[in-house]
Amino acid sequence: LAKTTQPISMDSYEGQEVNITCSHNNIATNDYITWYQQFPSQGPRFIIQGYKTKVTNEVASLFIPADRKSSTLSLPRVSLSDTAVYYCLVGPLNTGFQKLVFGTGTRLLVSP
Amino acid sequence: GAGVSQSPSNKVTEKGKDVELRCDPISGHTALYWYRQRLGQGLEFLIYFQGNSAPDKSGLPSDRFSAERTGESVSTLTIQRTQQEDSAVYLCASSPKQDTDTQYFGPGTRLTVL
């Protein structure tokens, strides 16, 4: 599975846009990019997933350049409740024995 | 609908004792995963079940760790002769056969080995 690298922590203020970039230089052709959010004392929660270009849902946007060696999770107008750890994962889908390898994630702190 | 549930939510045990952690996946989900998360660290994959196939045990840290799953339902993670380094939150996740990319996580079991 492709190894990912993310910043350890980021700070922001309410109402700002936050962009968290993940590097995955060894991504394989059949790998997808998935982001999870984890609040303290809770299990991770799926946010968004993509393969290339741009994906947007009600929570976030995911930007993936043509070479797919990195991806950026964009959170528009963050609030205090967005304070959490964000994990970037890369791996294939529908392989039967797929498992996701979670790194240390990015700890986002949103202040008033 | 009901999500993934785990029990107990907290478990304190003495070094050398055995513990059993339970996971009830979302009904109909064929895939089930166990992870370990030490304080301030990311998730560490332990074991993966997919339907009736042989489980992927590649993440189990030692032979003191084992897990079972009955069909596509409940799973039990057993840690024998617990050590202090086993202290962590143990998370269970399940995913539907049709959508193996999205994992739905339970709240975890916080294990403390004294």
Side-chain angles (χ1 to χ4, degrees):
Chain A
L1 294 175
K3 180 178 178 181
T4 60
T5 303
Q6 305 173 235
I8 294 175
S9 64
M10 293 183 68
D11 295 323
S12 184
Y13 294 95
E14 283 190 291
Q16 290 190 333
E17 178 184 77
V18 172
N19 296 308
I20 306 174
T21 297
C22 178
S23 298
H24 28 80
N25 291 320
N26 297 323
I27 190 169
T29 302
N30 58 343
D31 284 344
Y32 280 69
I33 301 156
T34 310
W35 285 80
Y36 283 78
Q37 175 191 54
Q38 186 178 26
F39 296 113
S41 302
Q42 296 186 27
R45 182 174 70 104
F46 173 89
I47 300 177
I48 197 167
Q49 182 182 77
Y51 183 81
K52 63 180 180 180
T53 63
K54 176 183 176 182
V55 178
T56 298
N57 61 23
E58 65 277 7
V59 176
S61 294
L62 179 60
F63 298 92
I64 307 169
D67 66 5
R68 304 201 324 122
K69 293 184 182 299
S70 67
S71 59
T72 299
L73 174 71
S74 181
L75 304 172
R77 298 179 297 282
V78 295
S79 63
L80 297 178
S81 62
D82 292 319
T83 292
V85 178
Y86 292 82
Y87 294 96
C88 163
L89 298 98
V90 174
L93 303 180
N94 302 322
T95 60
F97 284 104
Q98 179 214 2
K99 56 182 184 285
L100 298 177
V101 178
F102 286 73
T104 55
T106 298
R107 190 172 299 274
L108 173 66
L109 175 63
V110 181
S111 301
Chain B
V4 177
S5 61
Q6 293 184 245
S7 61
S9 56
N10 282 283
K11 176 71 176 179
V12 179
T13 190
E14 294 179 346
K15 178 181 174 180
K17 295 285 181 67
D18 297 351
V19 295
E20 279 192 357
L21 311 180
R22 177 187 169 107
C23 172
D24 285 88
I26 294 173
S27 178
H29 282 195
T30 60
L32 187 147
Y33 307 75
W34 282 98
Y35 295 87
R36 176 171 69 179
Q37 187 173 31
R38 293 195 167 107
L39 186 64
Q41 298 186 22
L43 276 69
E44 176 187 4
F45 167 78
L46 297 178
I47 189 169
Y48 165 69
F49 295 91
Q50 173 61 60
N52 294 320
S53 301
D56 179 352
K57 304 180 181 180
S58 61
L60 294 178
S62 76
D63 58 7
R64 296 188 295 105
F65 288 73
S66 63
E68 293 182 351
R69 187 182 187 194
T70 305
E72 296 183 353
S73 60
V74 172
S75 175
T76 302
L77 177 69
T78 301
I79 308 174
Q80 296 177 311
R81 305 181 300 282
T82 54
Q83 304 295 313
Q84 289 185 332
E85 61 263 28
D86 297 335
S87 295
V89 175
Y90 289 83
L91 288 157
C92 173
S94 70
S95 64
K97 182 177 181 179
Q98 299 85 350
D99 187 22
T100 58
D101 54 307
T102 304
Q103 297 184 22
Y104 300 85
F105 284 80
T109 294
R110 182 175 299 277
L111 174 65
T112 302
V113 182
L114 301 176

